[in-house]
Every structure is written in C-alpha cells, then in structure tokens.
Amino acid sequence: MKCSYLNIRRSTKSSLYFLLLLAPIISLLGCKNQAGSAADDNVRFVDPLIGSGGHGHVFLGASVPHGMVQVGPNNLSKGWDWCSGYHDSDTTIIGFAQTHLSGTGIADLGDVLFMPTGNFKQPSAADTTRTASFYYSTFNKKNQKVRPGYYSVNLNRYNIKVELTATERCSFQTYSYPKDSAANVVINLAESVQSLMARKGTTGSSLTIINDTTVAGFRSSDEWARDHKVYFVSVFSKPIVSKSLLKGQTTDGGKTATSTEGVVSLLSFKNDGKSLSIKTGISYTSTDGAALNLKSEIKSWDFAAIKNEATSRWNSSLASFNFKSKDSLTKVKFYTALYHTQISPSLFSDADGKYRGADGKVYSSNSNTYSVFSLWDTYRAVHPLYTLTDTAVSSYANTLLQINSQQKRMPVWHLAGNETDCMVGVHSIPVLIDAYLKGFNIDKEKLWNAVKDFDQYDQNGLKAIRERGYIPADQEVWSVAKGLEYAIDYDAIAKLAKDLGYKAEAEKYAKLAKSYQQYFDKQSGFMRGKLANGQWRANFNPYHSLHLEDDYVEGNAWQYTWLVPQDVEGLVGLFGGKAPFTKKLDSLFTVSSALNEGASIDITGMIGQFAHGNEPSHHISYLYPFVGQQWKTAEKVRQVCNQFYKASPDGLIGNEDCGQMSAWYIFSALGFYPVNPVNGLFVFGSPLADEVEINLNNGKKFKITAQYNSAKNKFIQSVKLNGKAYTKTYIKYQQIMEGGELIYVMGSKPNYNYGKEKADWPVSNPSKEN
C-alpha cells in the first residue's frame, strides 16, 4: 500500500550488578550452544558491560567481529561519557542506531535510529524542542541482556521488548508490543552521537517510502568526520498502515521526506499480536549498496538463525586464544578485552567490493576495506596483537595504503572515509611497516613510496623538525608530544629502508629518529618545551598539564619523558646510565599523583604520575628489563591489572580507545608486551594466564604455561622455551610464530638474577643474533 506524507494520521545498581555477573559464571560448566562444545563457547565469558560506565566509552549492542554495523541503544543524555551513545549511569533510550564507535574520546556515528513506541504526545510543527525528548523511554538494567551479537531490553514507557542482532553489514531488530498497544516505529535521522567539537551536525537527510514494507534513505553530517554519509534500506515484516512526519518536508508527491536538520518520521503498523521485525542494510556508498548488502546477508525472517550465526562468528573469532585461569573473573576480563579489540577496524566496503574513498569518490576493491583507525592508540599494542592471530592484517594495511593514495598523505585517525587528524604522530606508518617486516602481504614498492618522503611533510610541526631539528614550543601546540611521536615514525621508516637496502635513506631516518633528544633537559631530567630561540620554556612544572593547550597532549612531562620506545638505550644514556635512569623511573611511581586544576581529563589510572588510563604510559611499566630489573616490571604490571581492570561497568580506568586499553591487558595476561611496536620483540612482565594456547594466523599453535601461578606468585623465577632453559627477558615475534611452548616458573619473591645479565636484556633494535 502506498502512503503519502501529505495524508497524515496522528497515532494516539552495584550489588545487583555483581549478582548478575556471577550468574553466568556459576553456570559456566553447563553452558553449550550451537556454535560448538562448551570448550569453544567463549562468548559466555564475555561481559560487554565492562567499560560501559566510568570513562570506558565502550559500545554496547549487537555486532559481529569487525562488522560495518554496531546496532545498539542511544541514551537521551549527551556529553563526553556518552561518546559511544550509551553510558551505564543512564536509564533512557531514544532509539537503536546502526553504527557506533567503541571507546573513543570524541563522539560520532550513532546514525539511523529506530525507536518502537506506543502513542505519545507529538511535537507541533513550530516546536523547536529536541524531538527525542517527546518519545524516549526509560529502562531497567535488570531487563537488559547483552552478549556478543545480541542485545535485548524492555522499554518501560511502552512495555515493548526489543531484541537486536547483526550481520557484517546489516541489523535485525524485533519489537514485541503489548496487547492493545499502538505499534509505532520512529525513524530518526536527526539524532546521532553528536561530536563535542564545534561542527554542524546533520547536514542532510532523506527518507523514501519504496513500498508498504520498505523504506530507504540517507544521513549526511559534519561532526568529527567532516563529510560523513551513511545510506540505508529497511524492510519490515508487516505493511506500513500509516505515517506522519515529525520533522522535515515532503517531496516526490509525498513519498519522500527531506531535511537538512534530519528527518524524523513515525510509521504505524497493525498490532496483530505478532512481533514486528526490521531488517536494515547500511552502506557508505549508496542506497543501492545498502539494498545489495541486505539481500546478500539476510535472506529470511529467522531472527534466531541470524543471532546464532552472530554468536558463531564471535566464538570463531574469540577462539584465537584458549585461555585458562583458576580465577573465573580473570577469564571474563580476558575474553571481554579480546572482544573489545575485535569491534574495529570496521568493515567499510559493500558486498560487491565498492567503498567510499578518502577523496569522496566510490572505488571498487577485490578485498575488504576498513574504517575506524584510532592509530594514535592502536599502533602501540592492538595492531601488534593482530599480527599474531588476525587473518585480515594485510587488508587493514592495504586499506591504509589506499587512503594514502586518495588523500595524498598517510592517514592519522581515519573515520568513515574522513581524515580527522586526531592526536599527534602519523602512526599508520609504524602499523604498516611492522606488518610488512613481519611478512604480511603488502606491496613493498607502494609502501616505500608512501613513506619515503615523510621528512618533507609540512603540517603539524614537521617542517620545523626539518628546518630546526625540533618543534618550537612557542610556535606549535603539543610540541613535545608531536616531536616524540614523530621520532617513533621516523624510526619505523629507518627500519624499512634498512630492510629494503636503501642505506642512505636508512641513515637519514635513523638520525631523525634521534630527534627526541632535542626535548630532553639534562638538568631537570624531563622532556620539555624548547622555544624558537633555543631556550627552554620558563616556569617549567613537570606535574602541569592543560586539556587543550600545552607542550604535551593528554599528559605531562612525567608521562611523556619515557616516550622513547624505539630507543630505550638512548634514553638510558640521556639520564646518564642505568642507575640514574632506574632511580627516575622508580620515582615516577612514587611521587604525588596530584594534578593541577584544568589538567587533561584523560590523565587517569594514577600510580604516582604513571597514568595507565592514557596510552603514552602503556609501555612504561615494561622498561625495567632494559636495565636488568625485570622483577620490577612484574610487580608494576600485576598492580595495574589488579587495580585498573575490573569485571564491572566501571572496569576500565580510561577510554577503551578502539581496543588499546584491552590489548594492553591481553598482552599482559600472556606475560609480555610490545614496548617497541615495530621491532617484533615482546618484553616479559607477569602472566595472568595459568595456561593459554594461541591459535596463530599462520595455522600454528603457541602454548604458554605459568607454573605455580597465583596472586602471590607474580614473579618470574625462570623460563623455558620449547623445553630448553631460556634466560632472556623477551621473546621475538618469529619465535612465537614458529609455534611451540613457553613455560614461566613463578614464585612469590623476585629472582634478582633472572634477566640481570646484559646479554638477556631486551634491545630496541634486535639483530638476528639477539
């Protein structure tokens, strides 16, 4: 039946959480689903609510690993802690959006909301009040269920049960209305997870009634992603009986509604006692692409089948690790962390390979392309983790090379076809080079051509490094942070040039990688801002931080002084050797944790001035083995794991940042961490796993066992690799990828002799011999 918008008919906490958490844990031994036996049903160990409170900012809803769709609830509230659309402190819902970000510190996506309703008082045409405030509902946390690939909730206001699941590019929603209730659906193209940045929001939208069971449309916006476009096609299991327009104007004889501020439409259906289901395909290229995705991925109205397939997809992905621990909550935290690392990067190409390029044009690719690259965060541990188990590493890398070709520079933080230029450094460079050096399928000529002229970039202080050797603090904001991060990028290029046999270029970039030394003040013992005249910035305070304007970004001198993962030996030398370096590093964890008024809100998870809640600190606790004191790393790592990772909504101490906070925990649970994310070397800490088998992406297996492991026995006494005594305090990527077994022998007191000899220390630039 065809309808016209001109023919309008108006339709008239913590104790409870703990018990809810224990329930699935108590029943673990009896769990089994269609994905396989209980042994490979790792979905049951995942608690997606971890990180949904506090400042974790994680996505809550239904998706499949690295899917284009993340369908889930948006709260009525807005603000920094609602960057994912949902926060555990909130009990309101304005709709279920098709896309979300997970763990970021800036908001975007949350597009194309569907909200089932009964009757409500609709706004008048002249009313400028936010439309969602007229129809939103509250909900009770006890009526909310969430696991990977599935979400359900009861809406208090309308007594409607909502169930959500997803495929890669589509969502499947089911609404169960109470008897005698109106059966309405609001489609809201005005709302999103509004960016905190001062941009325009919605810039265009359209909703077209294709027939009595199908609608199509799009939303464009200028938010964090300045030119964001998402298209959708939705098919309903029942005919549309009538419709009214809450926001927008009609065209095309009333079949289409448009608005530069966002269409909001109310569709009504017959309440025949049966649930209403909605299948929605999305695309970043066109409504045709959305229709193709929907046709390709959801061929029936069997919600249970799609849900079970999503569960199966998650079980398959989570099976990359078979993790065992006597502590059930440790297992929950591990598999939840693994789940969080597998939400992004998100699929960006349609079922036929078409995708929107960084220049706004539509391209076609023979392999999947991806979006959501939070590279300032994820280059540190997420991408090194992928090189162990993820089979899509080459696709991520080739996507980054495609972006470089289209926007004519290397990506920084890419979102939905847009360069956000968020944070500092250009860390697509170490991600790509690390993957190439580890043997993944990346065209070396394309890679070299993409990075070889990086020293000629002019933006964000890079020109100053070329001309002066450093970034003047009185000419460029975040000068120290930028300079230190660029040095890491330079080091990666030097490694690539050396591997390719380009001696002159390798020497040039190796010299640039030492530019971090320009910011080190030997007198104070800190990295600090240097002015254009060569003098240090006056009134220096290593505790001081500002949120937006400073020599550092989201940190202070105490945290940034250690940001030299590419040359730890050189940093030790700046301090004057092992003893003063160790003394200074010890003091980081013991000085006052006080921060000035106006300090960055991202400086959290404090032990002294060590701040685990933000990424520049993530490698610091693993620096002690570089000076022969591995036991101190074991002590600090266990403290961080116990203090800052909890099985509760506030269980993450800072923004999850697209998997980085979780990747740190995963590596630490294995007993090692990639201090330098481009040298293929993992430094030992203190394993949480009693036993874990890694199913590597080359088909081999690597087993890790921690003998006598316990909360008390946190210190490594000795190590065996493939049955032989192993005295080094690190392991190489290639050793892991060959398969085999690593055995830690744990004890309650430090073995001061383990890793004491310099020959057993990790090195920043390992050779084949070490």
Side-chain angles (χ1 to χ4, degrees):
M1 179 177 80
K2 294 185 178 181
C3 304
S4 168
Y5 274 109
L6 299 178
N7 181 20
I8 296 174
R9 185 187 70 141
R10 292 192 180 273
S11 304
T12 49
K13 139 158 161 154
S14 65
S15 59
L16 174 61
Y17 180 81
F18 184 68
L19 291 173
L20 291 172
L21 177 63
L22 283 182
I25 295 172
I26 292 170
S27 63
L28 290 180
L29 294 177
C31 288
K32 184 176 180 180
N33 73 5
Q34 295 180 7
S37 67
D40 59 18
D41 182 15
N42 292 323
V43 162
R44 61 201 167 114
F45 299 112
V46 176
D47 179 6
L49 286 166
I50 294 175
S52 64
H55 303 312
H57 297 184
V58 302
F59 157 67
L60 196 74
S63 66
V64 297
H66 302 289
M68 181 184 290
V69 163
Q70 304 84 33
V71 59
N74 283 9
N75 298 140
L76 182 64
S77 302
K78 290 182 179 288
W80 187 58
D81 277 332
W82 281 261
C83 281
S84 72
Y86 177 99
H87 192 264
D88 183 70
S89 65
D90 206 322
T91 57
T92 63
I93 291 178
I94 64 171
F96 302 92
Q98 311 307 295
T99 61
H100 288 92
L101 292 173
S102 185
T104 61
I106 303 179
D108 207 328
L109 304 189
D111 301 290
V112 189
L113 279 81
F114 291 77
M115 179 66 173
T117 76
N119 291 323
F120 62 90
K121 183 180 178 181
Q122 299 179 22
S124 66
D127 200 321
T128 59
T129 307
R130 184 179 169 195
T131 308
S133 65
F134 285 87
Y135 68 76
Y136 80 93
S137 176
T138 60
F139 69 100
N140 295 326
K141 296 294 175 65
K142 66 180 181 180
N143 293 325
Q144 178 178 246
K145 296 178 182 179
V146 57
R147 67 172 184 264
Y150 177 74
Y151 175 90
S152 72
V153 70
N154 288 349
L155 301 177
N156 292 342
R157 182 174 179 180
Y158 307 109
N159 192 25
I160 297 171
K161 181 180 180 181
V162 175
E163 294 184 276
L164 312 176
T165 191
T167 64
E168 286 187 326
R169 302 172 180 87
C170 306
S171 73
F172 198 140
Q173 305 180 70
T174 296
Y175 305 151
S176 298
Y177 296 86
K179 185 179 180 181
D180 299 328
S181 167
N184 298 325
V185 175
V186 173
I187 299 180
N188 189 335
L189 305 182
E191 295 277 353
S192 67
V193 184
Q194 183 73 38
S195 174
L196 303 182
M197 306 179 76
R199 293 182 181 168
K200 299 176 182 177
T202 305
T203 56
S205 62
S206 174
L207 180 66
T208 298
I209 305 298
I210 304 299
N211 56 47
D212 63 353
T213 59
T214 306
V215 300
F218 78 91
R219 177 179 181 265
S220 63
S221 60
D222 178 353
E223 295 172 329
W224 188 15
R226 291 183 181 273
D227 183 19
H228 173 46
K229 293 182 176 70
V230 61
Y231 302 86
F232 69 97
V233 171
S234 297
V235 179
F236 300 90
S237 62
K238 300 179 184 180
I240 302 167
V241 174
S242 64
K243 61 186 180 300
S244 58
L245 188 61
L246 306 184
K247 189 173 184 179
Q249 306 82 37
T250 59
T251 62
D252 192 23
K255 292 189 298 183
T256 297
T258 62
S259 174
T260 56
E261 297 178 348
V263 170
V264 183
S265 179
L266 180 70
L267 306 181
S268 297
F269 302 84
K270 181 180 179 180
N271 187 348
D272 56 5
K274 297 179 180 179
S275 60
L276 173 69
S277 294
I278 310 170
K279 301 186 293 188
T280 299
I282 70 164
S283 168
Y284 290 96
T285 64
S286 64
T287 52
D288 287 342
L292 173 66
N293 293 338
L294 183 56
K295 181 179 179 180
S296 300
E297 295 186 1
I298 304 183
K299 302 180 185 298
S300 75
W301 288 103
D302 191 340
F303 180 90
I306 301 300
K307 179 183 70 172
N308 289 340
E309 175 61 23
T311 301
S312 179
R313 292 285 297 271
W314 276 112
N315 272 323
S316 178
S317 190
L318 295 171
S320 53
F321 292 88
N322 183 11
F323 183 93
K324 297 179 181 179
S325 173
K326 292 183 290 291
D327 180 10
S328 59
L329 290 183
T330 295
K331 193 166 187 175
V332 168
K333 288 186 286 185
F334 180 87
Y335 279 108
T336 302
L338 187 59
Y339 162 75
H340 281 145
T341 65
Q342 296 176 357
I343 295 174
S344 60
S346 302
L347 191 63
F348 195 57
S349 50
D350 293 336
D352 62 356
K354 291 181 180 179
Y355 70 97
R356 184 178 182 231
D359 54 4
K361 300 177 182 177
V362 174
Y363 294 85
S364 185
S365 175
N366 292 325
S367 62
N368 287 336
T369 60
Y370 292 85
S371 181
V372 190
F373 287 98
S374 182
L375 295 165
W376 182 80
D377 311 287
T378 58
Y379 89 96
R380 305 170 199 267
V382 177
H383 284 279
L385 179 66
Y386 293 155
T387 65
L388 292 173
T389 60
D390 199 314
T391 58
V393 171
S394 295
S395 292
Y396 304 151
N398 289 323
T399 295
L400 294 173
L401 287 174
Q402 289 168 358
I403 293 169
N404 171 72
S405 176
Q406 292 154 6
Q407 69 181 23
K408 309 306 179 185
R409 60 187 176 97
M410 293 297 288
V412 177
W413 205 126
H414 229 259
L415 172 61
N418 289 257
E419 180 58 75
T420 69
D421 280 311
C422 189
M423 304 307 289
V424 297
V426 183
H427 295 318
S428 55
I429 292 174
V431 166
L432 280 162
I433 293 174
D434 178 56
Y436 171 78
L437 293 176
K438 288 175 176 174
F440 288 91
N441 183 25
I442 303 167
D443 189 300
K444 65 182 180 182
E445 290 187 9
K446 287 184 179 179
L447 176 57
W448 177 246
N449 287 332
V451 303
K452 66 185 177 67
D453 296 325
F454 182 60
D455 63 313
Q456 298 301 308
Y457 281 30
D458 287 342
Q459 66 267 24
N460 298 319
L462 281 162
K463 183 178 181 181
I465 296 177
R466 183 168 68 249
E467 296 177 349
R468 295 174 177 268
Y470 69 96
I471 302 174
D474 51 345
Q475 295 183 0
E476 187 83 21
V477 70
W478 301 341
S479 61
V480 177
K482 289 178 179 178
L484 296 178
E485 297 279 12
Y486 288 144
I488 296 169
D489 298 334
Y490 292 139
D491 178 74
I493 301 174
K495 285 180 169 59
L496 175 64
K498 181 179 179 181
D499 182 82
L500 296 176
Y502 301 140
K503 184 177 179 180
E505 289 85 351
E507 291 175 352
K508 177 181 71 173
Y509 277 106
K511 182 178 180 181
L512 284 167
K514 298 284 187 180
S515 60
Y516 72 87
Q517 298 173 353
Q518 294 283 343
Y519 308 95
F520 188 77
D521 174 18
K522 291 183 181 291
Q523 184 173 354
S524 68
F526 288 100
M527 299 285 182
R528 55 183 293 196
K530 183 184 290 187
L531 305 178
N533 62 10
Q535 301 297 310
W536 298 114
R537 185 190 288 279
N539 302 318
F540 174 67
N541 179 354
Y543 295 85
H544 187 266
S545 168
L546 290 176
H547 185 50
L548 293 177
E549 294 187 8
D550 206 346
D551 296 338
Y552 317 93
V553 55
E554 298 182 1
N556 60 26
W558 270 111
Q559 291 122 38
Y560 270 91
T561 292
W562 312 99
L563 190 57
V564 192
Q566 80 280 12
D567 187 19
V568 179
E569 297 84 356
L571 182 61
V572 172
L574 288 181
F575 277 102
K578 173 182 174 180
F581 173 87
T582 305
K583 182 179 179 180
K584 186 78 170 189
L585 185 55
D586 287 342
S587 68
L588 171 71
F589 296 95
T590 58
V591 296
S592 170
S593 296
L595 297 171
N596 57 282
E597 184 178 352
S600 172
I601 54 180
D602 290 281
I603 305 177
T604 58
M606 305 291 284
I607 304 174
Q609 280 293 316
F610 170 83
H612 189 72
N614 211 23
E615 281 70 20
S617 288
H618 276 194
H619 70 292
I620 297 176
S621 57
Y622 282 89
L623 293 178
Y624 284 109
F626 287 84
V627 289
Q629 296 184 5
Q630 193 281 331
W631 62 273
K632 288 185 178 178
T633 284
E635 190 173 58
K636 297 296 186 295
V637 166
R638 281 291 183 102
Q639 182 180 0
V640 171
C641 288
N642 294 333
Q643 193 169 330
F644 299 137
Y645 290 87
K646 301 176 183 178
S648 58
D650 62 350
L652 295 176
I653 201 65
N655 298 166
E656 214 280 326
D657 284 317
C658 297
Q660 173 57 29
M661 196 68 65
S662 292
W664 187 95
Y665 185 84
I666 291 168
F667 271 122
S668 295
L670 302 178
F672 47 72
Y673 185 80
V675 171
N676 181 348
V678 193
N679 71 356
L681 187 150
F682 302 92
V683 180
F684 289 161
S686 178
L688 298 178
D690 297 328
E691 183 182 301
V692 59
E693 188 172 66
I694 309 174
N695 293 307
L696 303 167
N697 53 22
N698 63 3
K700 297 181 180 181
K701 299 179 183 294
F702 188 78
K703 184 178 180 180
I704 300 170
T705 302
Q707 295 179 352
Y708 317 115
N709 196 31
S710 68
K712 185 178 180 181
N713 293 349
K714 58 188 175 185
F715 299 103
I716 298 175
Q717 306 297 300
S718 62
V719 177
K720 285 186 178 181
L721 180 61
N722 297 326
K724 297 180 180 180
Y726 187 78
T727 59
K728 298 187 183 299
T729 53
Y730 62 88
I731 188 170
K732 290 184 177 181
Y733 173 79
Q734 291 302 333
Q735 290 174 302
I736 296 173
M737 298 305 290
E738 288 169 2
E741 183 175 18
L742 179 73
I743 298 176
Y744 305 104
V745 179
M746 308 300 294
S748 61
K749 296 181 180 180
N751 176 2
Y752 298 111
N753 290 320
Y754 172 64
K756 181 179 179 181
E757 298 300 321
K758 191 170 184 179
D760 295 323
W761 298 0
V763 291
S764 298
N765 291 288
S767 63
K768 292 183 179 179
E769 290 71 32
N770 62 5

